[in-house]
Amino acid sequence: MIIKSSETKVEKGTLALVLFGPVFGLLYIFLLPLTAAITLLLAIPEYASARKATVLENSPMCITCHTSKGLEKIFMNRERLSVFVYTDDFNNSAHTFLRCTDCHGKVSMATHPGRAFASRSAFELETAEVCGNCHTDRKLRANPVHAYLTNKINAPPLCTKCHGAHNVKRIAEWRPAETGNQHCLICHEQKISKRLNNGEKLSLYIDETLLSASVHNRHACSDCHTDFSMKSHPLKKFDSSRKHSIAVSVACKKCHPDKYTAVSRSIHSTMVREGNLKAPVCTDCHGFHSVGPKAVYDTMSGVPCRKCHENTFKVYSQSVHGMARTSGEHKAPLCSACHFAHEVEAAAMTDKIRKACLGCHKEAEDAHKQWLPNSALHLSAVACAACHSPDSEKGIYLRLYDQNTGEPFTEEQMLELLGINYEGLSGRMDAHGDGIDSSELWNIVKQLNRKGADARITFLGRMDISNGIDAHRLTIKKNAVKECYSCHNTNSDFFSSVTVAVVKADGRITRYDAKPEVLGSMISMLSIKDFYVLGSTRLRMLDWLGILMVFGGILLPVAHITVRILTSPVREAKRLNRLRKEGRR
Amino acid sequence: MNRIKKIYLHPLPVRIWHWINAVSFIVLIVTGLQIRYREILGLMNFRTAVDVHNFFGFILIFNFFLWLVFYIVTGKIRIYLPPLNFRKFITGCVKQARYYGYGIFMGDPNPHHATPDNKFNPMQQMAYLAIMLLLIPLQMITGLFLWDMKLFADWINLAGGIKIVDTVHVFLFLFFTSFIFVHVYLATLGHTVTAHIKAMVTGYEEMEEERGH
């Protein structure tokens, strides 16, 4: 019975499933989406009305107070900040859908308005940090402009600095009319910076006043920053601020190709290519965005050379040229008058400076002829500063030069001819490291003039100032050396210091100390055969020979007279004998 | 007893040349020493020494050509030229050297008797030929080179460099300085101490005429 009854129940259930199953299935398939659609449709007006909700509606309690003008927050450092909120600003902002507490989350009615901040900046920092709740670092990194801001060590400005506080808008909406430089300055007029690979901080701040005052004030930022535009802001990475300067200086070439070419031939550029990070590039002298007119750099205060050559500039300032310049004598030369502004070359041991001197002092050659014997010879073998900077340290510089070409024989030529490297050369020049002696000097000349060599190499001497700084210590004419004796004696300062100066192709020199006695050695007749200073470079051996010869010249007659005196009795006896013989006849 | 005879040994141009030469040599030596040893000597300032040295250097050059022209034009240049007979020349040198080194002490007569046509004994001939035709010209040339190194740059280069030129000039200066002592001493070896010197003033050399000669 029980079994029968249960079978009847099963039959009824199956029938119900067959009848109502499809109905429920259809309802499930169509009814749920329908319900969802209806719900959504019902929600749209609500959503729309929420977007358009005003701050008054969103945060009516806050607005009650913060729409009162004159309401101020006083910080612990006595700074004041108006806490008045322009509701219109907020209503027109990108954040109009938010409630005040969405950003000012720490405000609690239990404590408000009692929260204390040390300063206005502390308050701004806390409120700006809230932005990160929605605008996460991950999102910011996707935008090159903001990418560096995500790294806190770059000391990014507060979000509110660029975007404002309650009036925050998208940039495009914020300053839609601002194009060109103003577009860039939206961010770059802020004190923003970025960290470079070596940890240095590179300021990206542009002082608009300096930019406006510069000679480039009519240029668009993208004229120099060519790969940047309103649509493109590539992320660039630099190892250091120096590498950054070197990289950006290339931009100058676009408008100043002649100057750029001149600079690329300069000693500065050579040093940059060699990896010397202290050597200047365009921006080191002219600045980045504050490039001034030429006249700015041609003043005592504006000359950029002094940044690196401060010691030289100090000496120059006290020189006849520097003082004339300071007193307003505009003809007096500043650095670039002698060294040139862009094609700066190594000055030591060259004729370039002499030519620069004579370029202004056109009468100097004739003036020297009036009183200085062999003036042309003096002017070629003695540096101008050697006499016109009388208190400076002086010395003799021996340079290798090729008699066939009349040109200096360079270090590069030496290395090639000898088949050695730079370190090897140092060993050959001064094997014992105690200063080059006369045999070593001769050895160098001998090796360079070996059979088969095209050049005829010898050392040429030059009287010069020992260091470049002293070369700027030029004095007034009446204080210049005019006394021949100053140089033409062995005790002259010049001859206590002898340096072998090996000139590189770019004009720089490698200095090797030499022993002063090399000038008076007999071997120097062969190694320094074209350098001779009357009375000063005399050969010591010749002095001894002279003493011997003169002594011999005196001794011979004295000895002869002595023998004659001693033998006079013999002659007297002989004379008497002869007289006696004559008497007998 | 020997009689004294006078012969006209030194014509006037030769005497003028000689004394100009003598003064020039003295001045050049003194100024040369002053230039070279400025820190030891203080006779005059460097510039004066150089100027005076240059001036007398040119006097010496001019004087040399006076001598050269006179001796060539008059044909007297042959008194400087040793005889072609080399053996005779060497024998004469040896005899003369023997006289200066021995005979003069023993009271032997000078083997050489100066005549206007044969003024120099073989040793003098050899010495003065080298001095007048080699050493003085060399001294003049090196002096000229040192006077203006720019002007004579190519020649200096050809000579092997200014240092070599200077060394030659200084070496000859030392030689002439020492030679002057010997020269003056030899000038006292006439029949009297002043005989040769007087001859260079008057032109007439007094010499003993040995009997039988």
Side-chain angles (χ1 to χ4, degrees), chain A residues 136-167:
Chain A
T136 60
D137 286 355
R138 191 175 57 80
K139 287 179 184 171
L140 292 177
R141 273 188 216 109
N143 179 348
V145 174
H146 289 136
Y148 272 98
L149 305 182
T150 61
N151 189 342
K152 297 294 180 288
I153 59 166
N154 286 337
L158 299 174
C159 307
T160 49
K161 286 283 181 192
C162 296
H163 297 280
H166 296 107
N167 58 342

PDB file of all heavy atoms in Angstrom, chain A residues 136-167:
ATOM      1  N   THR A 136      45.350  56.534  -8.789  1.00  0.00           N
ATOM      2  CA  THR A 136      46.432  55.718  -8.233  1.00  0.00           C
ATOM      3  C   THR A 136      47.708  55.877  -9.056  1.00  0.00           C
ATOM      4  O   THR A 136      47.676  56.302 -10.209  1.00  0.00           O
ATOM      5  CB  THR A 136      46.034  54.231  -8.232  1.00  0.00           C
ATOM      6  OG1 THR A 136      45.786  53.875  -9.589  1.00  0.00           O
ATOM      7  CG2 THR A 136      44.790  53.983  -7.399  1.00  0.00           C
ATOM      8  N   ASP A 137      48.849  55.545  -8.436  1.00  0.00           N
ATOM      9  CA  ASP A 137      50.126  55.628  -9.131  1.00  0.00           C
ATOM     10  C   ASP A 137      50.109  54.834 -10.420  1.00  0.00           C
ATOM     11  O   ASP A 137      50.691  55.222 -11.434  1.00  0.00           O
ATOM     12  CB  ASP A 137      51.264  55.128  -8.222  1.00  0.00           C
ATOM     13  CG  ASP A 137      51.592  56.144  -7.131  1.00  0.00           C
ATOM     14  OD1 ASP A 137      51.003  57.248  -7.172  1.00  0.00           O
ATOM     15  OD2 ASP A 137      52.438  55.837  -6.270  1.00  0.00           O
ATOM     16  N   ARG A 138      49.444  53.687 -10.391  1.00  0.00           N
ATOM     17  CA  ARG A 138      49.398  52.827 -11.584  1.00  0.00           C
ATOM     18  C   ARG A 138      48.760  53.588 -12.748  1.00  0.00           C
ATOM     19  O   ARG A 138      49.241  53.555 -13.869  1.00  0.00           O
ATOM     20  CB  ARG A 138      48.605  51.560 -11.275  1.00  0.00           C
ATOM     21  CG  ARG A 138      48.709  50.473 -12.351  1.00  0.00           C
ATOM     22  CD  ARG A 138      47.977  49.208 -11.900  1.00  0.00           C
ATOM     23  NE  ARG A 138      46.575  49.455 -11.585  1.00  0.00           N
ATOM     24  CZ  ARG A 138      45.617  49.552 -12.523  1.00  0.00           C
ATOM     25  NH1 ARG A 138      45.922  49.414 -13.801  1.00  0.00           N
ATOM     26  NH2 ARG A 138      44.370  49.770 -12.180  1.00  0.00           N
ATOM     27  N   LYS A 139      47.692  54.306 -12.427  1.00  0.00           N
ATOM     28  CA  LYS A 139      47.020  55.071 -13.481  1.00  0.00           C
ATOM     29  C   LYS A 139      47.896  56.237 -13.957  1.00  0.00           C
ATOM     30  O   LYS A 139      47.964  56.546 -15.135  1.00  0.00           O
ATOM     31  CB  LYS A 139      45.687  55.622 -12.955  1.00  0.00           C
ATOM     32  CG  LYS A 139      44.615  54.575 -12.800  1.00  0.00           C
ATOM     33  CD  LYS A 139      43.364  55.239 -12.248  1.00  0.00           C
ATOM     34  CE  LYS A 139      42.281  54.201 -11.977  1.00  0.00           C
ATOM     35  NZ  LYS A 139      41.159  54.796 -11.243  1.00  0.00           N
ATOM     36  N   LEU A 140      48.576  56.872 -12.976  1.00  0.00           N
ATOM     37  CA  LEU A 140      49.405  58.033 -13.342  1.00  0.00           C
ATOM     38  C   LEU A 140      50.588  57.644 -14.230  1.00  0.00           C
ATOM     39  O   LEU A 140      50.981  58.388 -15.113  1.00  0.00           O
ATOM     40  CB  LEU A 140      49.933  58.736 -12.084  1.00  0.00           C
ATOM     41  CG  LEU A 140      48.885  59.443 -11.229  1.00  0.00           C
ATOM     42  CD1 LEU A 140      49.531  60.015  -9.984  1.00  0.00           C
ATOM     43  CD2 LEU A 140      48.211  60.560 -12.023  1.00  0.00           C
ATOM     44  N   ARG A 141      51.133  56.464 -13.978  1.00  0.00           N
ATOM     45  CA  ARG A 141      52.298  56.024 -14.743  1.00  0.00           C
ATOM     46  C   ARG A 141      51.991  55.867 -16.223  1.00  0.00           C
ATOM     47  O   ARG A 141      52.875  55.917 -17.063  1.00  0.00           O
ATOM     48  CB  ARG A 141      52.839  54.702 -14.184  1.00  0.00           C
ATOM     49  CG  ARG A 141      53.811  54.925 -13.055  1.00  0.00           C
ATOM     50  CD  ARG A 141      54.492  53.651 -12.617  1.00  0.00           C
ATOM     51  NE  ARG A 141      54.678  53.677 -11.169  1.00  0.00           N
ATOM     52  CZ  ARG A 141      54.022  52.924 -10.301  1.00  0.00           C
ATOM     53  NH1 ARG A 141      53.154  52.024 -10.734  1.00  0.00           N
ATOM     54  NH2 ARG A 141      54.250  53.029  -9.019  1.00  0.00           N
ATOM     55  N   ALA A 142      50.724  55.664 -16.518  1.00  0.00           N
ATOM     56  CA  ALA A 142      50.340  55.493 -17.925  1.00  0.00           C
ATOM     57  C   ALA A 142      50.492  56.806 -18.700  1.00  0.00           C
ATOM     58  O   ALA A 142      50.569  56.811 -19.915  1.00  0.00           O
ATOM     59  CB  ALA A 142      48.900  55.005 -17.998  1.00  0.00           C
ATOM     60  N   ASN A 143      50.568  57.905 -17.974  1.00  0.00           N
ATOM     61  CA  ASN A 143      50.679  59.209 -18.624  1.00  0.00           C
ATOM     62  C   ASN A 143      52.099  59.754 -18.423  1.00  0.00           C
ATOM     63  O   ASN A 143      52.508  59.995 -17.289  1.00  0.00           O
ATOM     64  CB  ASN A 143      49.656  60.149 -17.981  1.00  0.00           C
ATOM     65  CG  ASN A 143      49.711  61.538 -18.588  1.00  0.00           C
ATOM     66  OD1 ASN A 143      50.633  61.864 -19.321  1.00  0.00           O
ATOM     67  ND2 ASN A 143      48.708  62.333 -18.266  1.00  0.00           N
ATOM     68  N   PRO A 144      52.851  59.942 -19.508  1.00  0.00           N
ATOM     69  CA  PRO A 144      54.241  60.379 -19.375  1.00  0.00           C
ATOM     70  C   PRO A 144      54.387  61.646 -18.538  1.00  0.00           C
ATOM     71  O   PRO A 144      55.343  61.810 -17.795  1.00  0.00           O
ATOM     72  CB  PRO A 144      54.681  60.638 -20.808  1.00  0.00           C
ATOM     73  CG  PRO A 144      53.740  59.872 -21.651  1.00  0.00           C
ATOM     74  CD  PRO A 144      52.463  59.795 -20.906  1.00  0.00           C
ATOM     75  N   VAL A 145      53.422  62.532 -18.667  1.00  0.00           N
ATOM     76  CA  VAL A 145      53.528  63.791 -17.932  1.00  0.00           C
ATOM     77  C   VAL A 145      53.530  63.535 -16.433  1.00  0.00           C
ATOM     78  O   VAL A 145      54.206  64.199 -15.660  1.00  0.00           O
ATOM     79  CB  VAL A 145      52.357  64.718 -18.315  1.00  0.00           C
ATOM     80  CG1 VAL A 145      52.362  65.976 -17.468  1.00  0.00           C
ATOM     81  CG2 VAL A 145      52.440  65.064 -19.787  1.00  0.00           C
ATOM     82  N   HIS A 146      52.761  62.527 -16.036  1.00  0.00           N
ATOM     83  CA  HIS A 146      52.631  62.244 -14.610  1.00  0.00           C
ATOM     84  C   HIS A 146      53.540  61.133 -14.119  1.00  0.00           C
ATOM     85  O   HIS A 146      53.648  60.930 -12.918  1.00  0.00           O
ATOM     86  CB  HIS A 146      51.175  61.875 -14.279  1.00  0.00           C
ATOM     87  CG  HIS A 146      50.261  63.056 -14.355  1.00  0.00           C
ATOM     88  ND1 HIS A 146      49.031  63.020 -14.958  1.00  0.00           N
ATOM     89  CD2 HIS A 146      50.418  64.320 -13.905  1.00  0.00           C
ATOM     90  CE1 HIS A 146      48.469  64.209 -14.872  1.00  0.00           C
ATOM     91  NE2 HIS A 146      49.285  65.011 -14.244  1.00  0.00           N
ATOM     92  N   ALA A 147      54.173  60.451 -15.070  1.00  0.00           N
ATOM     93  CA  ALA A 147      54.920  59.257 -14.689  1.00  0.00           C
ATOM     94  C   ALA A 147      55.956  59.540 -13.609  1.00  0.00           C
ATOM     95  O   ALA A 147      56.076  58.801 -12.645  1.00  0.00           O
ATOM     96  CB  ALA A 147      55.584  58.656 -15.920  1.00  0.00           C
ATOM     97  N   TYR A 148      56.713  60.649 -13.799  1.00  0.00           N
ATOM     98  CA  TYR A 148      57.772  60.945 -12.843  1.00  0.00           C
ATOM     99  C   TYR A 148      57.214  61.396 -11.504  1.00  0.00           C
ATOM    100  O   TYR A 148      57.883  61.343 -10.491  1.00  0.00           O
ATOM    101  CB  TYR A 148      58.707  62.010 -13.391  1.00  0.00           C
ATOM    102  CG  TYR A 148      59.812  61.385 -14.204  1.00  0.00           C
ATOM    103  CD1 TYR A 148      59.743  61.327 -15.590  1.00  0.00           C
ATOM    104  CD2 TYR A 148      60.907  60.803 -13.559  1.00  0.00           C
ATOM    105  CE1 TYR A 148      60.723  60.719 -16.319  1.00  0.00           C
ATOM    106  CE2 TYR A 148      61.911  60.194 -14.283  1.00  0.00           C
ATOM    107  CZ  TYR A 148      61.820  60.155 -15.673  1.00  0.00           C
ATOM    108  OH  TYR A 148      62.801  59.551 -16.384  1.00  0.00           O
ATOM    109  N   LEU A 149      55.939  61.828 -11.530  1.00  0.00           N
ATOM    110  CA  LEU A 149      55.368  62.326 -10.285  1.00  0.00           C
ATOM    111  C   LEU A 149      55.078  61.191  -9.313  1.00  0.00           C
ATOM    112  O   LEU A 149      54.937  61.411  -8.112  1.00  0.00           O
ATOM    113  CB  LEU A 149      54.070  63.088 -10.574  1.00  0.00           C
ATOM    114  CG  LEU A 149      54.184  64.233 -11.581  1.00  0.00           C
ATOM    115  CD1 LEU A 149      52.844  64.923 -11.730  1.00  0.00           C
ATOM    116  CD2 LEU A 149      55.231  65.236 -11.128  1.00  0.00           C
ATOM    117  N   THR A 150      54.974  60.005  -9.852  1.00  0.00           N
ATOM    118  CA  THR A 150      54.658  58.870  -8.981  1.00  0.00           C
ATOM    119  C   THR A 150      55.833  58.479  -8.103  1.00  0.00           C
ATOM    120  O   THR A 150      55.667  57.779  -7.126  1.00  0.00           O
ATOM    121  CB  THR A 150      54.236  57.640  -9.805  1.00  0.00           C
ATOM    122  OG1 THR A 150      55.337  57.289 -10.644  1.00  0.00           O
ATOM    123  CG2 THR A 150      53.009  57.940 -10.648  1.00  0.00           C
ATOM    124  N   ASN A 151      57.030  58.918  -8.516  1.00  0.00           N
ATOM    125  CA  ASN A 151      58.186  58.611  -7.704  1.00  0.00           C
ATOM    126  C   ASN A 151      58.388  59.745  -6.705  1.00  0.00           C
ATOM    127  O   ASN A 151      58.750  60.859  -7.065  1.00  0.00           O
ATOM    128  CB  ASN A 151      59.430  58.485  -8.606  1.00  0.00           C
ATOM    129  CG  ASN A 151      60.614  57.959  -7.836  1.00  0.00           C
ATOM    130  OD1 ASN A 151      60.629  58.000  -6.600  1.00  0.00           O
ATOM    131  ND2 ASN A 151      61.598  57.470  -8.562  1.00  0.00           N
ATOM    132  N   LYS A 152      58.171  59.450  -5.460  1.00  0.00           N
ATOM    133  CA  LYS A 152      58.164  60.506  -4.448  1.00  0.00           C
ATOM    134  C   LYS A 152      59.521  61.200  -4.331  1.00  0.00           C
ATOM    135  O   LYS A 152      59.604  62.372  -3.958  1.00  0.00           O
ATOM    136  CB  LYS A 152      57.765  59.922  -3.083  1.00  0.00           C
ATOM    137  CG  LYS A 152      56.356  59.353  -3.056  1.00  0.00           C
ATOM    138  CD  LYS A 152      55.306  60.428  -3.241  1.00  0.00           C
ATOM    139  CE  LYS A 152      53.897  59.889  -3.228  1.00  0.00           C
ATOM    140  NZ  LYS A 152      53.538  59.129  -4.422  1.00  0.00           N
ATOM    141  N   ILE A 153      60.583  60.471  -4.672  1.00  0.00           N
ATOM    142  CA  ILE A 153      61.900  61.105  -4.517  1.00  0.00           C
ATOM    143  C   ILE A 153      62.107  62.202  -5.557  1.00  0.00           C
ATOM    144  O   ILE A 153      63.031  62.986  -5.457  1.00  0.00           O
ATOM    145  CB  ILE A 153      63.057  60.082  -4.588  1.00  0.00           C
ATOM    146  CG1 ILE A 153      63.045  59.339  -5.914  1.00  0.00           C
ATOM    147  CG2 ILE A 153      63.048  59.145  -3.407  1.00  0.00           C
ATOM    148  CD1 ILE A 153      64.325  58.594  -6.166  1.00  0.00           C
ATOM    149  N   ASN A 154      61.243  62.252  -6.558  1.00  0.00           N
ATOM    150  CA  ASN A 154      61.349  63.348  -7.520  1.00  0.00           C
ATOM    151  C   ASN A 154      60.756  64.636  -6.971  1.00  0.00           C
ATOM    152  O   ASN A 154      60.766  65.652  -7.668  1.00  0.00           O
ATOM    153  CB  ASN A 154      60.622  63.001  -8.820  1.00  0.00           C
ATOM    154  CG  ASN A 154      61.403  61.992  -9.631  1.00  0.00           C
ATOM    155  OD1 ASN A 154      62.608  61.871  -9.470  1.00  0.00           O
ATOM    156  ND2 ASN A 154      60.714  61.262 -10.479  1.00  0.00           N
ATOM    157  N   ALA A 155      60.294  64.562  -5.764  1.00  0.00           N
ATOM    158  CA  ALA A 155      59.668  65.721  -5.125  1.00  0.00           C
ATOM    159  C   ALA A 155      58.632  66.360  -6.025  1.00  0.00           C
ATOM    160  O   ALA A 155      58.762  67.507  -6.438  1.00  0.00           O
ATOM    161  CB  ALA A 155      60.732  66.751  -4.738  1.00  0.00           C
ATOM    162  N   PRO A 156      57.594  65.593  -6.380  1.00  0.00           N
ATOM    163  CA  PRO A 156      56.587  66.155  -7.276  1.00  0.00           C
ATOM    164  C   PRO A 156      55.818  67.265  -6.573  1.00  0.00           C
ATOM    165  O   PRO A 156      55.708  67.266  -5.346  1.00  0.00           O
ATOM    166  CB  PRO A 156      55.681  64.960  -7.559  1.00  0.00           C
ATOM    167  CG  PRO A 156      55.831  64.096  -6.370  1.00  0.00           C
ATOM    168  CD  PRO A 156      57.228  64.255  -5.892  1.00  0.00           C
ATOM    169  N   PRO A 157      55.307  68.188  -7.338  1.00  0.00           N
ATOM    170  CA  PRO A 157      54.494  69.214  -6.703  1.00  0.00           C
ATOM    171  C   PRO A 157      53.167  68.596  -6.272  1.00  0.00           C
ATOM    172  O   PRO A 157      52.784  67.521  -6.744  1.00  0.00           O
ATOM    173  CB  PRO A 157      54.288  70.232  -7.818  1.00  0.00           C
ATOM    174  CG  PRO A 157      54.399  69.434  -9.067  1.00  0.00           C
ATOM    175  CD  PRO A 157      55.349  68.326  -8.783  1.00  0.00           C
ATOM    176  N   LEU A 158      52.480  69.261  -5.398  1.00  0.00           N
ATOM    177  CA  LEU A 158      51.167  68.770  -4.986  1.00  0.00           C
ATOM    178  C   LEU A 158      50.227  68.833  -6.184  1.00  0.00           C
ATOM    179  O   LEU A 158      50.318  69.741  -7.007  1.00  0.00           O
ATOM    180  CB  LEU A 158      50.638  69.642  -3.856  1.00  0.00           C
ATOM    181  CG  LEU A 158      51.494  69.651  -2.583  1.00  0.00           C
ATOM    182  CD1 LEU A 158      50.935  70.660  -1.602  1.00  0.00           C
ATOM    183  CD2 LEU A 158      51.552  68.266  -1.967  1.00  0.00           C
ATOM    184  N   CYS A 159      49.310  67.843  -6.236  1.00  0.00           N
ATOM    185  CA  CYS A 159      48.367  67.788  -7.357  1.00  0.00           C
ATOM    186  C   CYS A 159      47.647  69.130  -7.512  1.00  0.00           C
ATOM    187  O   CYS A 159      47.429  69.628  -8.620  1.00  0.00           O
ATOM    188  CB  CYS A 159      47.326  66.700  -7.122  1.00  0.00           C
ATOM    189  SG  CYS A 159      48.057  65.105  -6.751  1.00  0.00           S
ATOM    190  N   THR A 160      47.345  69.703  -6.361  1.00  0.00           N
ATOM    191  CA  THR A 160      46.561  70.941  -6.380  1.00  0.00           C
ATOM    192  C   THR A 160      47.315  72.110  -6.994  1.00  0.00           C
ATOM    193  O   THR A 160      46.710  73.094  -7.391  1.00  0.00           O
ATOM    194  CB  THR A 160      46.155  71.299  -4.941  1.00  0.00           C
ATOM    195  OG1 THR A 160      47.312  71.229  -4.121  1.00  0.00           O
ATOM    196  CG2 THR A 160      45.099  70.346  -4.431  1.00  0.00           C
ATOM    197  N   LYS A 161      48.665  71.987  -7.042  1.00  0.00           N
ATOM    198  CA  LYS A 161      49.453  73.072  -7.614  1.00  0.00           C
ATOM    199  C   LYS A 161      49.093  73.280  -9.078  1.00  0.00           C
ATOM    200  O   LYS A 161      49.093  74.395  -9.588  1.00  0.00           O
ATOM    201  CB  LYS A 161      50.951  72.764  -7.494  1.00  0.00           C
ATOM    202  CG  LYS A 161      51.489  72.906  -6.102  1.00  0.00           C
ATOM    203  CD  LYS A 161      51.695  74.370  -5.724  1.00  0.00           C
ATOM    204  CE  LYS A 161      52.252  74.496  -4.322  1.00  0.00           C
ATOM    205  NZ  LYS A 161      52.198  75.873  -3.837  1.00  0.00           N
ATOM    206  N   CYS A 162      48.884  72.156  -9.783  1.00  0.00           N
ATOM    207  CA  CYS A 162      48.547  72.270 -11.202  1.00  0.00           C
ATOM    208  C   CYS A 162      47.027  72.282 -11.412  1.00  0.00           C
ATOM    209  O   CYS A 162      46.518  73.021 -12.238  1.00  0.00           O
ATOM    210  CB  CYS A 162      49.131  71.107 -11.992  1.00  0.00           C
ATOM    211  SG  CYS A 162      50.918  71.069 -11.983  1.00  0.00           S
ATOM    212  N   HIS A 163      46.362  71.433 -10.671  1.00  0.00           N
ATOM    213  CA  HIS A 163      44.943  71.200 -10.977  1.00  0.00           C
ATOM    214  C   HIS A 163      43.984  72.028 -10.143  1.00  0.00           C
ATOM    215  O   HIS A 163      42.776  72.002 -10.380  1.00  0.00           O
ATOM    216  CB  HIS A 163      44.624  69.712 -10.796  1.00  0.00           C
ATOM    217  CG  HIS A 163      45.392  68.837 -11.734  1.00  0.00           C
ATOM    218  ND1 HIS A 163      45.025  68.652 -13.046  1.00  0.00           N
ATOM    219  CD2 HIS A 163      46.536  68.120 -11.560  1.00  0.00           C
ATOM    220  CE1 HIS A 163      45.887  67.835 -13.633  1.00  0.00           C
ATOM    221  NE2 HIS A 163      46.823  67.500 -12.761  1.00  0.00           N
ATOM    222  N   GLY A 164      44.517  72.729  -9.164  1.00  0.00           N
ATOM    223  CA  GLY A 164      43.647  73.486  -8.292  1.00  0.00           C
ATOM    224  C   GLY A 164      43.012  72.578  -7.241  1.00  0.00           C
ATOM    225  O   GLY A 164      43.244  71.359  -7.236  1.00  0.00           O
ATOM    226  N   ALA A 165      42.217  73.184  -6.374  1.00  0.00           N
ATOM    227  CA  ALA A 165      41.620  72.391  -5.290  1.00  0.00           C
ATOM    228  C   ALA A 165      40.159  72.065  -5.599  1.00  0.00           C
ATOM    229  O   ALA A 165      39.846  70.965  -6.047  1.00  0.00           O
ATOM    230  CB  ALA A 165      41.753  73.151  -3.980  1.00  0.00           C
ATOM    231  N   HIS A 166      39.307  73.049  -5.445  1.00  0.00           N
ATOM    232  CA  HIS A 166      37.875  72.764  -5.642  1.00  0.00           C
ATOM    233  C   HIS A 166      37.452  72.951  -7.088  1.00  0.00           C
ATOM    234  O   HIS A 166      36.411  72.475  -7.477  1.00  0.00           O
ATOM    235  CB  HIS A 166      37.050  73.671  -4.728  1.00  0.00           C
ATOM    236  CG  HIS A 166      37.315  73.389  -3.285  1.00  0.00           C
ATOM    237  ND1 HIS A 166      38.043  74.232  -2.478  1.00  0.00           N
ATOM    238  CD2 HIS A 166      36.974  72.313  -2.509  1.00  0.00           C
ATOM    239  CE1 HIS A 166      38.142  73.716  -1.275  1.00  0.00           C
ATOM    240  NE2 HIS A 166      37.509  72.541  -1.261  1.00  0.00           N
ATOM    241  N   ASN A 167      38.274  73.621  -7.831  1.00  0.00           N
ATOM    242  CA  ASN A 167      37.909  73.883  -9.231  1.00  0.00           C
ATOM    243  C   ASN A 167      38.614  72.917 -10.172  1.00  0.00           C
ATOM    244  O   ASN A 167      38.867  73.235 -11.316  1.00  0.00           O
ATOM    245  CB  ASN A 167      38.263  75.324  -9.587  1.00  0.00           C
ATOM    246  CG  ASN A 167      39.743  75.605  -9.361  1.00  0.00           C
ATOM    247  OD1 ASN A 167      40.398  74.850  -8.642  1.00  0.00           O
ATOM    248  ND2 ASN A 167      40.252  76.677  -9.938  1.00  0.00           N
TER     249      ASN A 167
END
